Amino acid sequence: MGQTILVTGGAGYIGSHTCVELLNAGHTIVCVDNLSNSSPVAIERVQELTGKEIAFHEIDLLDAAGLDGVFAGRRIDAVIHFAGLKAVGEGQAQPLRYYQNNVTGTLVLLDCMKRHGVTDIVFSSSATVYGRAPAPLREDAPIGAEGVYGRTKEMIERILQDLAAAEPNWRIVLLRYFNPVGAHESGRIGEDPRGIPNNLVPYIMQVAVGRLDKIRVFGNDYDTKDGTGVRDYIHVLDLASGHLAALESLPKLKGCRAFNLGTGTGYSVLEMLGAAERAVGKTLAHEVVDRRPGDLAVSYADPTRAKTELNWTAKKTLDDMCQDSWRWQSQNPSGYE
Ligand code: NAD
Ligand code: UD1
């Protein structure tokens, strides 16, 4: 039976794709987003793709009274909490803003949920909480993030663990995403980073569309198959289905449980570039430059727990990821603008 889900950050990249999945599965969505890193056009396009309405509230999570108004007068069954700031370099430069937005924002949300008797939540965490632990990464590895952004995720995970330990009626899923890429196969919604992209695939796609000159490969002297960094890229629609699986698992869940959302396979920067070139149908200019400070050589998931306990696995291939990213980028060369 359809539930009413409060989605924070639903206008963002992963949130918008998850909203499509939720609406198609028969759920009702109430969305809260301050649009600090997203466009209202994303919400319009989700509605257009699904033929369903979203109750959208342009509200900041730090606005406790505003958030309270969203919970008042309606039954919310569960929350999926995407809202947060996520740029690694920006987090290092603006720690107070990042801790305030991500950690305090989550505390305001949890307090509001508690007052309204809502105790089911799925939280967007990140593989970055594993720090430098060796791959394949399992959920029982000790966590210890490097950097401000990662530490906001680690702190929120610990807050949620403590909450579940103290108040057994809470049911909490921590989803640790690996590297989300790709877009909806319609090409209508996708990732629209502000400014010059930090992440590999958006950067490659902006080179392909002519907005940027050439791809910079951050180091080819790592101890990997071709010397370039290896990551577990996962299609955003597989991530979206992971959220549905997490929601469905809540009734039988006790306390707080973490799950990796990854494919379990690592691809190098050059393998990703090759797949992007196949999707785009031309070669893309690139040069090898110095390693990016803070980068890991290799990161990929052991996705066994999500398979066993959520009955979820990633299905899409590297070529699907690149073809869908390219469809979105080529049909929307300037994003949602
Ligand atoms: P995004 O920036 O596209 O989406 C986040 C959304 O949250 C945006 O629409 C933004 O406007 C909103 N938001 C931020 N702060 C808010 C606040 N205080 N109040 C209300 N709305 C607020 O990012 P995304 O890639 O969709 O990521 C979603 C979540 O997943 C984030 O928590 C992110 O840290 C996490 N995550 C992302 C990745 C990734 O590579 N994209 C990897 C691991 C984890
Ligand atoms: C980065 C963040 C991580 C965050 C994740 C979100 C850093 C150090 N890490 O992870 O905390 O959770 O984004 O998705 O910023 N690369 C290039 N050229 C580029 C961009 C990237 O060669 O222009 C390489 C990187 O060195 C890496 C791979 O491509 O090997 C993927 O990079 P990226 O997409 O930025 O993701 P992560 O580094 O995994």
Side-chain angles (χ1 to χ4, degrees), residues 9 11-15 32-38 59-61 82-86 101 124-126 149 153 177-178 180:
Y13 171 46
I14 304 169
V32 168
D33 198 304
N34 65 1
L35 302 178
S36 61
N37 195 41
S38 52
I59 285 175
D60 195 305
L61 283 186
F82 294 103
L85 297 171
K86 61 161 187 180
N101 190 82
S124 299
S125 189
S126 166
Y149 164 69
K153 293 292 176 195
Y177 312 155
F178 280 70

Side-chain angles (χ1 to χ4, degrees), residues 242-324:
H243 289 76
L244 264 189
L247 264 188
E248 283 161 14
S249 80
L250 285 171
K252 51 182 194 303
L253 186 82
K254 284 195 178 59
C256 180
R257 190 103 171 121
F259 296 94
N260 289 333
L261 293 185
T263 65
T265 303
Y267 289 104
S268 73
V269 175
L270 294 180
E271 285 174 325
M272 179 55 92
L273 182 57
E277 290 179 336
R278 285 196 293 281
V280 172
K282 62 178 182 198
T283 55
L284 301 170
H286 73 276
E287 65 174 335
V288 177
V289 300
D290 285 346
R291 292 180 176 192
R292 180 171 63 181
D295 268 359
L296 299 170
V298 177
S299 170
Y300 61 92
D302 176 340
T304 308
R305 185 186 283 184
K307 181 164 198 254
T308 317
E309 297 181 27
L310 302 180
N311 194 24
W312 171 90
T313 47
K315 303 221 159 45
K316 298 206 178 255
T317 64
L318 193 66
D319 285 318
D320 296 330
M321 300 176 206
C322 288
Q323 282 159 14
D324 293 340

